[in-house]
Amino acid sequence: MQTVIITGGTDGLGKGLALHYLRQGAHVVALGSTAGKGEALLTEARALAAGRATFVRADLTSLAACRGVVERLAADHPVVDKLILCAQRYRLLGGRATTGEGFEHSFALAYLSRFVLSHGLHDVLRAARRPVVMNVGTPGVPLGRIHWDDLQLTRAYSGTKATLQSFRANDLLGVAFGVLHAASGVSYVGYNPGVVSTGMPASLPQPLRAGTRALFTLFAASVPKATVPMTALLDDPPAEPFTAHWGRRRLPLDGRAFDRDDALRLHELTQELISR
Ligand SMILES: NC(=O)c1ccc[n+]([C@@H]2O[C@H](COP(=O)([O-])OP(=O)(O)OC[C@H]3O[C@@H](n4cnc5c(N)ncnc54)[C@H](OP(=O)(O)O)[C@@H]3O)[C@@H](O)[C@H]2O)c1
């Protein structure tokens, strides 16, 4: 029975993938911050009568919680076949928010949690036959940059700027992971699903919520449709340590978004930040 760990596995794309791998007979460990969504997933899993589902409630904005989750998951699962990173909550409007540990919210949830889980679970991943990490985000979108002199965006903050920075940081996380773990056999896949109708608008303030829902009605793919190319990649990952994809299209890695030096610089800065 393969083990599939999914952050944000209780809603949207993460939940779609959780149900898919349950149907395939996998042990799916879904992480999310809301107990009700976890219970709902477990109820659906029971109705499927296939695979095995575990819900881990964790607030992944907290570095301590991420580290606790890594410790628990690594102890419970000596072999992890797939790690899928979907946890996300957009804060496009409103002022700058920080976590209890002092990190800017988008940096903490969308980037740091993925950094800690990716590197922290590397050893249990490399124990699998064909291990893969899929970091679901927006590779290939030419928006946003790393604010090297102010990663926590203490000056001239905007929610959009913070969200876009976290996207670009995840592109570099994949590149650095591929460089640092090049010989370990773990495939790291940066993946952009395109526009998909998920639970995402529910956490947006009005009128953004209504606008995003209208956009989803017109242009978005359904979760079952969007997860087809994702599972194809997850089940047959590229041999290279890092690749980036937008739907079925493989992205070139020659742009600034995937710069090796930037990736290693961000890796070092992040290590420094989280070891303080
Ligand atoms: N949907 C799209 O059109 C689209 C497009 C491009 C990229 N993506 C990317 O795809 C990924 C999944 O997006 P989605 O649209 O499927 O999202 P979604 O439906 O909003 O689901 C987000 C998931 O993240 C979890 N989550 C949020 N905050 C959390 C926290 N603090 N701690 C732990 N878990 C937390 C949520 O559970 P709780 O609410 O219980 O915490 C939920 O399971 C994201 O990385 C997103 O950037 C999506």
Side-chain angles (χ1 to χ4, degrees), residues 111 135-144 146 164-178 188 190-192 242-244 251 253 256-259 263 266:
Y111 169 63
N135 187 334
V136 185
T138 66
V141 173
L143 295 173
I146 305 298
L164 292 175
Q165 172 173 257
S166 72
F167 288 154
R168 301 294 67 87
N170 277 298
D171 293 343
L172 295 177
L173 164 57
V175 175
F177 188 97
Y188 203 101
Y191 188 84
N192 184 337
F242 173 69
T243 55
L251 296 169
L253 298 181
R256 187 72 206 256
F258 304 110
D259 184 84
L266 184 64

Side-chain angles (χ1 to χ4, degrees), residues 109-259:
L109 176 61
Y111 169 63
L112 264 192
S113 75
R114 296 176 186 215
F115 180 96
V116 172
L117 268 89
S118 299
H119 291 289
L121 292 174
H122 173 255
D123 283 351
V124 287
L125 280 157
R126 71 183 301 188
R129 199 179 59 82
R130 213 157 166 210
V132 57
V133 180
M134 180 177 275
N135 187 334
V136 185
T138 66
V141 173
L143 295 173
R145 66 181 179 89
I146 305 298
H147 298 267
W148 294 105
D149 58 340
D150 186 22
L151 280 180
Q152 300 307 310
L153 299 175
T154 57
R155 303 185 294 275
Y157 173 86
S158 91
T160 306
K161 197 167 153 182
T163 302
L164 292 175
Q165 172 173 257
S166 72
F167 288 154
R168 301 294 67 87
N170 277 298
D171 293 343
L172 295 177
L173 164 57
V175 175
F177 188 97
V179 172
L180 296 167
H181 303 298
S184 73
V186 180
S187 304
Y188 203 101
V189 173
Y191 188 84
N192 184 337
V195 184
V196 186
S197 185
T198 65
M200 187 267 270
S203 57
L204 297 176
Q206 291 290 20
L208 202 56
R209 188 187 317 153
T212 309
R213 281 197 172 130
L215 182 86
F216 275 7
T217 310
L218 290 173
F219 299 112
S222 67
V223 168
K225 189 172 174 200
T227 51
V228 172
M230 299 175 86
T231 54
L233 263 177
L234 285 160
D235 293 340
D236 188 13
E240 294 93 324
F242 173 69
T243 55
H245 307 254
W246 188 328
R248 296 180 195 276
R249 187 163 58 92
R250 187 147 158 184
L251 296 169
L253 298 181
D254 50 4
R256 187 72 206 256
F258 304 110
D259 184 84

Side-chain angles (χ1 to χ4, degrees), residues 10 13 33-34 37 58-60 89-90 114 136-137 194 196 198-199:
T10 58
L13 286 159
S33 69
T34 312
K37 287 188 189 180
D59 176 2
L60 298 176
R89 171 109 352 114
Y90 296 116
R114 296 176 186 215
V136 185
V196 186
T198 65

